[in-house]
Amino acid sequence: RTAAELEARMAIPAALTVAVGSKNPCKVKAVRLAFSDAFPTCQLKISPFDVASGVSDQPMSEEETKQGAENRAKAAAAAFAQAGESGPDFAVGLEGGVGRCGEGLDCFAYMAVLAPSRPLGLANPSTSRTASFLLPPVITRLMDKEGLELGDADDKIFSRVNSKHRDGTVGILTKGVIGRSVFYRHAL
């Protein structure tokens, strides 16, 4: 292909559809922010879907977390098509997880993006990872000893309700300087 042909195929349309593999408001907001950053002139149609990650409710490794994000992206694309639409321009999966770091747990998330209907589309997910941070020992103990998910451990320690649908652990620990949506936005 010539450079001109490639450039024409990569032209940004006036509108883009993005299927999100979650209805969690933090995740949907992160997708909206990231895609607005990447495509500032596009009208975005963000369609969230409640899809299964295919992994544990609390992924406990890099591999499991990445797989959850990839599964969510694929499931979001399928749910979008099943809803009667031809297919999204992009499908996104976001999955938060933790992994062992010595005696503690690191917190991070994986993002997966598919572009099934774009001219140069990605048939397989492209993935990225957020930064990570070490969880406080009290949260690690609750997760290890009581088998709690991170969000539930946060709620118990910090006397909150449903923090994983709000600013998440990162928001609590940074006193709102970095919320969960912003944490995910940069990786997207």
Side-chain angles (χ1 to χ4, degrees), residues 1-187:
R1 300 200 194 278
T2 68
E5 289 173 322
L6 187 59
E7 190 171 309
R9 292 187 75 187
M10 291 176 34
I12 297 172
L16 288 172
T17 57
V18 183
V20 181
S22 177
K23 288 189 174 183
N24 180 316
C26 289
K27 293 180 178 183
V28 174
K29 181 179 178 183
V31 170
R32 182 173 302 286
L33 291 170
F35 275 80
S36 293
D37 290 345
F39 303 102
T41 61
C42 285
Q43 177 182 349
L44 297 174
K45 178 186 175 198
I46 308 291
S47 299
F49 294 93
D50 190 16
V51 299
S53 68
V55 298
S56 305
D57 288 340
Q58 178 58 70
M60 296 296 289
S61 70
E62 296 266 350
E63 297 78 19
E64 186 179 19
T65 307
K66 183 178 178 184
Q67 187 63 59
E70 291 175 351
N71 291 348
R72 285 183 184 278
K74 292 173 185 174
F80 189 93
Q82 191 173 31
E85 312 241 6
S86 61
D89 293 300
F90 294 97
V92 181
L94 306 90
E95 190 72 24
V98 298
R100 283 278 157 217
C101 181
E103 295 294 314
L105 289 172
D106 261 347
C107 181
F108 50 81
Y110 271 87
M111 314 294 127
V113 179
L114 287 169
S117 63
R118 299 290 300 147
L120 299 175
L122 301 167
N124 294 310
S126 174
T127 59
S128 63
R129 181 188 181 280
T130 64
S132 60
F133 58 93
L134 191 62
L135 293 172
V138 65
I139 292 176
T140 298
R141 278 193 298 278
L142 277 176
M143 293 178 73
D144 286 345
K145 302 274 191 275
E146 295 184 27
L148 294 180
E149 287 182 45
L150 178 56
D152 296 331
D154 286 343
D155 290 348
K156 189 170 185 174
I157 295 296
F158 299 107
S159 301
R160 297 177 57 135
V161 176
N162 208 15
S163 60
K164 65 183 175 182
H165 285 141
R166 296 183 9 211
D167 51 1
T169 308
V170 69
I172 295 167
L173 296 178
T174 65
K175 297 186 182 195
V177 172
I178 301 171
R180 192 172 183 201
S181 295
V182 171
F183 187 58
Y184 289 172
R185 175 187 194 175
H186 295 285

